[in-house]
């Protein structure tokens, strides 16, 4: 019994000192398990004198209950602590900044094409595309370009060497051949824009790239006039460069339009007074245009007595460079993300 009282005397401190449920369980086994002093005494009860048995038995039970109560209350504390720790570990601090993911973006060329196409789609135009490997007929002949025209030479145009072919196969030098393809595939009226990649025998430098992009426009119907061309291009200039913009059409020559013109837009940077963006002239040269030459209509099977039309075409890189103040065309193709990320 003395031994048991001694165990009970320190049990309270021992229980309080346990730091985990596992430690507590170990202690509980030592205090009340099969090999504990308590169990030993219980087993010895029968050997006691009949007169001593009730008192000793009662004390044994009381001590057992006390130990169980001590262990039980410590267990509840340790369980709550464990639970609190779990919650703390799992806690999410919603005031911390989130993990950001950098999403991709369209290349500035694609953005520019999309923006220009949208302006014409809003006017009712459709979008057409054509092959990048063309026939000389579509790229030149159908567009009223004589056989001797220097633009057909290797010095201007790259050709694909593709076995036997009825015609030469240039990499298209402009998007204009799609004019012929669209007109041959459908009856008038035609309202299309044609964005796409084009190729010329140029050395890659600040102002030239052998691969670049153009966008063509074509409107053909009964009674289309040069005034329609001018109004359409003025609308485009205002939509793309700002509503203050005006345009001028300067006479020029293209084989496939007659008359032909070069479209200039008043400089959005200096409003026409002259600055580095417009080369001090106040005007920015943007694209070529004109009234579709009757010879083109004849080549594609349209009757020039029935329809008239206008066409225009210009470089996408040029438009983007002017608008964003980019001075080197190579920035479009170098894939330097520091450049690309400026136009997200
Ligand atoms: N295809 C011409 C070029 O690449 C641009 C052009 C001029 C397109 C006049 C046209 C046009 O449709 O009418 O320089």
């Amino acid at each position: 019994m003395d031994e048991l009282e001694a165990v009970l005397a320190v049990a309270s401190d021992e229980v309080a000192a346990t730091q985990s449920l596992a430690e507590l369980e170990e202690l509980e086994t030592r205090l009340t398990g099969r090999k504990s002093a308590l169990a030993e005494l219980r087993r010895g009860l029968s050997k006691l004198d009949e007169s001593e048995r009730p008192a000793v038995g009662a004390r044994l039970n009381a001590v057992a209950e006390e130990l169980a109560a001590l262990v039980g209350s410590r267990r509840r504390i340790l369980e709550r602590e464990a639970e609190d720790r779990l919650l703390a570990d799992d806690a999410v601090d919603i005031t911390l900044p989130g993990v950001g993911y950098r999403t991709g973006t369209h290349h500035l060329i694609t953005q520019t094409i999309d923006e220009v196409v949208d302006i014409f789609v809003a006017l009712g135009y459709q979008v057409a595309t054509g092959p990048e490997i063309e026939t000389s007929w579509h790229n030149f002949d159908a567009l009223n370009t004589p056989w001797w025209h220097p633009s057909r030479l290797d010095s201007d145009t790259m050709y694909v060497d593709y076995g036997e072919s009825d015609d030469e196969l240039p990499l298209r030098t402009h998007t204009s051949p799609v004019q012929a393809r669209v007109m041959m595939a459908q009856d008038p009226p035609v309202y299309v824009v044609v964005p796409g990649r084009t190729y010329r025998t140029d050395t890659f430098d600040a102002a030239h790239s052998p691969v670049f992009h153009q966008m063509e426009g074509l409107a053909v119907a009964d009674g289309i006039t040069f005034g329609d061309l001018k109004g359409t291009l003025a609308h485009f200039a205002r939509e793309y460069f700002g509503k203050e913009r005006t345009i001028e059409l300067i006479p020029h020559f293209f084989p496939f339009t007659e008359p032909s013109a070069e479209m200039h837009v008043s400089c959005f940077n200096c409003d026409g007074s002259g600055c580095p963006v417009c080369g001090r002239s106040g005007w920015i040269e943007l694209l070529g245009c004109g009234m579709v030459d009757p010879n083109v209509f004849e080549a594609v099977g349209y009757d020039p007595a029935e329809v008239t039309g206008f066409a225009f075409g210009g470089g996408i890189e040029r438009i983007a460079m002017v608008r964003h103040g980019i001075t080197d065309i190579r920035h479009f193709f170098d894939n330097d993300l520091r450049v690309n990320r400026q136009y997200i």
Side-chain angles (χ1 to χ4, degrees), residues 120-193:
F120 285 95
V121 166
L123 293 176
Y125 282 67
Q126 294 188 316
V127 180
T129 55
E132 291 171 27
I133 300 175
E134 260 299 1
T135 66
S136 272
W137 188 84
H138 290 90
N139 198 80
F140 298 116
D141 300 88
L143 299 173
N144 199 36
T145 309
W147 64 266
W148 46 262
H149 200 280
S151 66
R152 294 187 186 237
L153 297 176
D154 282 357
S155 52
D156 279 340
T157 301
M158 291 182 266
Y159 289 89
V160 176
D161 190 4
Y162 189 73
E164 290 296 304
S165 167
D166 292 342
D167 198 357
E168 291 167 318
L169 299 174
L171 294 178
R172 68 179 178 191
T173 56
H174 47 182
T175 42
S176 305
V178 187
Q179 286 187 31
R181 290 186 175 275
V182 168
M183 287 190 278
M184 290 170 84
Q186 71 168 84
D187 289 332
V190 171
Y191 293 93
V192 289
V193 283

Side-chain angles (χ1 to χ4, degrees), residues 178-251:
V178 187
Q179 286 187 31
R181 290 186 175 275
V182 168
M183 287 190 278
M184 290 170 84
Q186 71 168 84
D187 289 332
V190 171
Y191 293 93
V192 289
V193 283
V194 183
R197 210 171 284 132
T198 47
Y199 303 82
R200 286 186 198 173
T201 315
D202 276 325
T203 304
F204 200 35
D205 64 22
H208 302 89
S209 168
V211 185
F212 59 108
H213 298 76
Q214 280 196 344
M215 194 169 89
E216 196 77 11
L218 175 69
V220 181
D222 181 9
I224 292 222
T225 68
F226 198 88
D228 296 323
L229 168 62
K230 187 168 184 187
T232 304
L233 292 180
H235 173 76
F236 161 66
R238 287 191 297 265
E239 287 288 303
Y240 190 74
F241 290 106
K243 59 182 187 314
E244 306 302 322
R245 303 283 52 85
T246 55
I247 66 164
E248 60 176 20
L249 295 172
I250 303 298

